[in-house]
Amino acid sequence: MATASRRPPQTYDELVATLRNPATPLTRSQRLLADRVMADPEGVAFMTISELASAVGVNEATVVRFATGIGLEGYPGLTRLCREYLREQVHLLRRYDNLEQLGADGGNLLQQAAAQEGANIARTFARIDPETWEAAVTALAEAPRVHVMGLRKCHAPAYLLGYLLRMLREDVETVTLGTGTLTDDLRRVHEGDCFVTIAIRRYSTETVRAAAWARARGARCVALTDNPSSPLAASAEQVFFVDAAGPSVLRSLTAFTALVQALATGVAQRRGHQVRSTLLQEEELLEEFGAYIPETPL
C-alpha cells in the first residue's frame, strides 16, 4: 500500500477520506482495520496495538503496515489522530453542557443555536465533492423512477425531498413503513431507478436493509447520512456526509433540510423547460381545487 506520493492525513477526517478513497489500495485485512477505525475511533484511540490486532483478527505487523502505508508514523500516528478527534468532540460537548445554566437568558441560547446550525450547513456544503454532486443530481433528474426513504426522525427531510421532486418530475415515491407495505414499495424498485436513503445514528434497520436491497437490484443509490462509518455508505454510489451537531440532546436536521432543498434546485435546473410545464400544471390544479386561501389584493 504505497502512498509516498500522497500527503499523509493530518486529521481524523482526512484519515477517513484516505481510507474511503478507491485509489488507496487496501488488502482484505487492512480493509477490516479501516472499517474498525472509521466505526470506532474512540476504541482505537485507547487500544494497544495488540488489542486492536486481536479485535480485528489480524497480526500486529499488519496493523503497523496499515498505519505506515497511509503515511502515518506507525501505530502511534494512527492513535494520535483518533485521540485528537475525540478531543474535538469533547470540546464540542463541553461547549453545550452549560445549556441548563443559561436559565432565562434566552438570547444566549438562540445565538448558540443559530451559530451551530450555520456551522452545520457550512461544513456540510464545504465537503461536497463536485463529481458526487453532479452524479446525484443526474440520477435524481434522469432516473426512470425515484424512491426516497427516511424513517423516524429522518422522515421529515425524506418527505420534503419527495415532495419537492414530485413538483419537478413524475414517478417519485416516498417509501414508508405504512401498514406493513415496505415490501410492496420495494417491489417497484427496478434497475436504473434512483434510491435515496436518509439516516443518522442510530440507524434504522429497515432503511439500511432497503438501501442494500435496492443496490443489489441495480438501483442508483444516493445516501444522506452523518459519518463515514454509517452503514448506508456501503450501499450508496453517492454519499453526502451531513453535520448534525446541535445544542441539545436531539441531533439537528437543519443541514439535511438545506441539502435536500439544494438537490431539488439542482434537479430543477437540470430538467429546464420540463420543470416549467410541470409547475404550470401544478398551479392550474391548485387553483382549480382551491388549495389555498385567496390572497387579498394589496
Side-chain angles (χ1 to χ4, degrees):
M1 184 173 56
T3 58
S5 61
R6 296 196 190 102
R7 173 178 173 271
Q10 304 297 307
T11 66
Y12 178 77
D13 286 342
E14 290 185 6
L15 171 62
V16 168
T18 298
L19 297 178
R20 286 187 54 81
N21 188 342
T24 303
L26 297 174
T27 66
R28 180 181 176 279
S29 295
Q30 291 168 343
R31 173 50 59 193
L32 293 174
L33 285 165
D35 290 343
R36 187 59 178 257
V37 169
M38 292 189 291
D40 186 22
E42 182 174 2
V44 173
F46 299 103
M47 282 182 179
T48 65
I49 187 171
S50 60
E51 288 173 337
L52 178 59
S54 176
V56 176
V58 300
N59 57 50
E60 294 182 19
T62 300
V63 178
V64 174
R65 285 194 296 270
F66 168 75
T68 56
I70 54 181
L72 300 175
E73 297 179 358
Y75 187 64
L78 178 65
T79 57
R80 176 180 59 81
L81 294 185
C82 290
R83 290 178 184 179
E84 289 177 354
Y85 170 76
L86 291 181
R87 279 197 294 271
E88 293 174 2
Q89 301 305 304
V90 168
H91 291 330
L92 179 64
L93 291 174
R94 284 175 179 168
R95 201 160 60 231
Y96 293 107
D97 274 346
N98 64 354
L99 281 177
E100 292 183 356
Q101 302 174 15
L102 292 178
D105 191 358
N108 287 341
L109 173 59
L110 291 176
Q111 291 170 13
Q112 292 267 20
Q116 181 64 72
E117 300 298 5
N120 283 340
I121 295 172
R123 285 194 294 262
T124 296
F125 279 69
R127 69 166 65 97
I128 293 176
D129 175 69
E131 291 185 4
T132 299
W133 172 263
E134 288 298 323
V137 169
T138 298
L140 290 169
E142 300 178 2
R145 185 188 296 264
V146 176
H147 313 260
V148 185
M149 183 175 183
L151 301 179
R152 300 179 67 81
K153 186 175 184 179
C154 290
H155 175 69
Y159 174 84
L160 178 61
L161 180 58
Y163 173 81
L164 293 174
L165 291 177
R166 278 191 295 273
M167 294 182 66
L168 304 174
R169 53 161 297 170
E170 302 292 335
D171 296 321
V172 177
E173 297 185 8
T174 301
V175 179
T176 64
L177 292 183
T179 55
T181 59
L182 176 59
T183 55
D184 295 331
D185 291 336
L186 292 180
R187 191 176 66 246
R188 290 190 283 271
V189 178
H190 299 289
E191 183 177 358
D193 286 357
C194 180
F195 197 88
V196 184
T197 49
I198 303 176
I200 59 176
R201 191 172 182 179
R202 302 158 59 186
Y203 309 101
S204 163
T205 301
E206 291 89 351
T207 303
V208 174
R209 292 183 64 185
W213 188 91
R215 181 64 182 270
R217 185 84 164 179
R220 302 158 71 180
C221 294
V222 177
L224 280 63
T225 190
D226 53 354
N227 69 77
S229 66
S230 165
L232 290 185
S235 299
E237 297 172 81
Q238 286 80 46
V239 186
F240 297 95
F241 296 115
V242 184
D243 277 48
S248 74
V249 295
L250 300 177
R251 304 189 72 195
S252 170
L253 293 179
T254 300
F256 280 90
T257 301
L259 180 55
V260 159
Q261 294 185 132
L263 286 168
T265 301
V267 171
Q269 185 181 53
R270 179 65 57 86
R271 291 180 66 86
H273 68 278
Q274 294 173 292
V275 169
R276 185 174 185 276
S277 60
T278 301
L279 291 178
L280 285 174
Q281 292 176 2
E282 175 76 9
E283 285 300 318
E284 291 173 359
L285 280 170
L286 290 174
E287 185 174 352
E288 182 175 344
F289 279 80
Y292 297 114
I293 296 174
E295 294 184 3
T296 303
L298 297 176

